[in-house]
Amino acid sequence: EPEVTQTPSHQVTQMGQEVILRCVPISNHLYFYWYRQILGQKVEFLVSFYNNEISEKSEIFDDQFSVERPDGSNFTLKIRSTKLEDSAMYFCASLFPAGEGSPLHFGNGTRLTVT
Amino acid sequence: KQEVTQIPAALSVPEGENLVLNCSFTDSAIYNLQWFRQDPGKGLTSLLLIQSSQREQTSGRLNASLDKSSGRSTLYIAASQPGDSATYLCAVAGRTALIFGKGTTLSVSS
């Protein structure tokens, strides 16, 4: 069964550094998402992406964040200047829009640790 | 703004028990509701999806129900096993992106 693939599985970075989290969504999917989960807290929506542009974003997704689909297969989340509070598990997800029965497919996540 | 609440936050049961996890949501204008399983430090595994027009879905020992008008869903786990120990997340898809509850952490003892 096709999967959403995320790399790396764990990234450690110093405060103030830029990080790029990478995702390969399922190939025929059209909607792409980033979510994050701070340790012990709920999974939170960051941003959705469709037709090469952001379709929705949460208040968490400020100017420090950006997303890009640089080619036909990758979907990236960039954090420009990381803060300690950016430490979290980041999940990528993709969706093929087929009505109410369309499930969101998640990757296994990238654990980001900011020191 | 959609809010999703899960009760209880944690649950411990002996092996073999049947159990029910509860999820409630504030905005009934939903497309579907998904139940996920999350093992510690791991990703999200989709268990069941119920469309807004459906009342329930079954997969093996799992049965999920949906009452859209009252904003409630339940996940029923039959004959629980130690391998069922995990956090179970309810998530609602509506006008906005998928919104998650905080989850119920289940521990099944042998």
Side-chain angles (χ1 to χ4, degrees), chain A residues 56, chain B residues 2 27 29-32 92-99:
Chain A
E56 186 182 0
Chain B
Q2 181 73 271
D27 184 353
I30 67 170
Y31 294 142
N32 62 52
V92 175
R95 281 184 275 264
T96 60
L98 202 62
I99 304 298

Side-chain angles (χ1 to χ4, degrees), chain A residues 4 6 22-25 29-36 44-50 55-57 61 67 69 75-77 90-97 102-107, chain B residues 31 34 93-100:
Chain A
V4 176
Q6 290 187 245
R22 302 181 190 277
C23 170
V24 178
H29 284 194
L30 301 178
Y31 286 81
F32 313 110
Y33 303 81
W34 285 101
Y35 284 79
R36 80 172 185 189
E44 301 173 290
F45 167 71
L46 293 179
V47 65
S48 60
F49 192 85
Y50 171 71
S55 50
E56 186 182 0
K57 61 182 181 179
F61 193 88
V67 289
R69 188 156 163 80
F75 179 52
T76 62
L77 174 69
Y90 288 80
F91 293 107
C92 173
S94 68
L95 172 75
F96 181 82
S102 302
L104 208 55
H105 294 260
F106 283 84
Chain B
Y31 294 142
Q34 284 186 255
R95 281 184 275 264
T96 60
L98 202 62
I99 304 298
F100 283 81

